[in-house]
Amino acid sequence: MTENVWNEVDHYLNELFVGSDPALDAALRDSETAGLPPINVAPNHGKFLNILARTVGARTILEIGTLGGYSTIWLARALPEGGKLISLEAEPKHAEIARANIARAALSGKIEIRPGKAADTLNQLLTESREPFDFIFIDADKPSYCEYLQLSLKLSRVGTLIFADNVVRKGAVADPSNHEALVAGARRFNQMLAAEPRVSATAIQTVGSKGYDGFAIALVTSLT
Ligand code: SAH
Ligand code: DHB
Ligand code: MG
């Protein structure tokens, strides 16, 4: 009953605030056809990310976990002329579907999908002399979130916004007897983020078409 209401309200909100969008709709359709798991952000959540990235005036965005490129398209659309998004994806098939979805959205010029394990590609990014990222979206394997946070901070400046998906896991994160890898990963991440002196952070619970979960958001306030 409750989940049904969440679904209906998400449907209502998405029709109202997002509507049909050929490139995004096709990205979801082709991701599903290719057998990708339907764990992309919801449309209203994608638009939320887009608005956040525009609010901070992001010119460079880092995404950890591409899947079929649905959130990638939302985020890249926030970029100004000359802006760049790098998205990290370990599964070659996901990266391939994402590249096709991104090409159809006419965003190939702004987006680079880097294949490989994100811990490796993040360390690779650290060796390149590049500007810090303005916005970082963490959304890959949950057990690695702590490592991704540490590496993300090294790729940040004061003012970088870090957004992490899936940190509530149906509420299981607040149940210390739950030791599932996804849940424990999110719990360790929340603990690390809360204790991290270089950021000011909070987390918000969400319900909707993707069930009951939540996100964390952190503003980098110092580099030391
Ligand atoms: N951001 C996407 C959803 C990402 S789902 C969206 O909202 O549309 C998580 C993705 O992370 C999956 O595609 C998975 O293959 C990828 N992933 C899992 N472990 C990874 C790792 N170690 N390195 C890079 N990507 C990984
Ligand atoms: C799941 C959901 C996500 O949004 C994600 O990024 C990874 C996994 C899940 O429900 O398992
Ligand atoms: Mg997610």
Side-chain angles (χ1 to χ4, degrees), residues 38-41 67 137-142 145 165-166 169-170 182 210 213:
I39 56 175
N40 52 275
V41 293
L67 192 65
F137 178 41
I138 302 178
D139 195 24
D141 51 315
K142 315 312 163 193
Y145 267 33
D165 198 22
N166 311 117
R169 312 299 310 180
K170 296 189 167 79
L182 290 179
K210 299 292 171 179
D213 212 321

Side-chain angles (χ1 to χ4, degrees), residues 124-154:
Q124 173 63 36
L125 283 170
L126 277 170
T127 69
E128 300 168 11
S129 64
R130 60 170 55 254
E131 302 273 296
F133 290 97
D134 302 319
F135 187 96
I136 301 179
F137 178 41
I138 302 178
D139 195 24
D141 51 315
K142 315 312 163 193
S144 303
Y145 267 33
C146 284
E147 189 176 7
Y148 297 156
L149 174 62
Q150 291 307 318
L151 291 165
S152 292
L153 284 166
K154 293 186 184 172

Side-chain angles (χ1 to χ4, degrees), residues 34-166:
L36 269 51
I39 56 175
N40 52 275
V41 293
N44 48 354
H45 188 158
K47 190 164 183 184
F48 182 63
L49 289 171
N50 173 282
I51 292 170
L52 279 179
R54 283 190 284 158
T55 302
V56 302
R59 300 184 55 87
T60 54
I61 298 176
L62 173 65
E63 175 178 70
I64 308 175
T66 318
L67 192 65
Y70 184 77
S71 56
T72 321
I73 292 170
W74 272 115
L75 284 169
R77 284 181 175 175
L79 291 168
E81 195 72 42
K84 268 277 182 197
L85 184 154
I86 296 181
S87 187
L88 313 180
E89 176 53 55
E91 287 290 335
K93 181 182 165 187
H94 297 183
E96 181 192 328
I97 302 291
R99 285 199 182 98
N101 286 334
I102 287 161
R104 182 173 35 214
L107 286 166
S108 302
K110 283 184 165 163
I111 298 171
E112 178 192 345
I113 310 279
R114 288 229 184 165
K117 299 265 186 214
D120 297 336
T121 42
L122 286 165
N123 276 301
Q124 173 63 36
L125 283 170
L126 277 170
T127 69
E128 300 168 11
S129 64
R130 60 170 55 254
E131 302 273 296
F133 290 97
D134 302 319
F135 187 96
I136 301 179
F137 178 41
I138 302 178
D139 195 24
D141 51 315
K142 315 312 163 193
S144 303
Y145 267 33
C146 284
E147 189 176 7
Y148 297 156
L149 174 62
Q150 291 307 318
L151 291 165
S152 292
L153 284 166
K154 293 186 184 172
L155 293 162
S156 294
R157 58 169 170 79
V158 169
T160 295
L161 199 62
I162 300 176
F163 187 105
D165 198 22
N166 311 117

Side-chain angles (χ1 to χ4, degrees), residues 176-198:
S177 71
N178 186 318
H179 298 293
E180 285 169 48
L182 290 179
V183 174
R187 189 183 298 124
R188 280 198 314 276
F189 173 79
N190 288 334
Q191 200 158 8
M192 176 182 270
L193 192 65
E196 174 53 62
R198 290 169 288 181

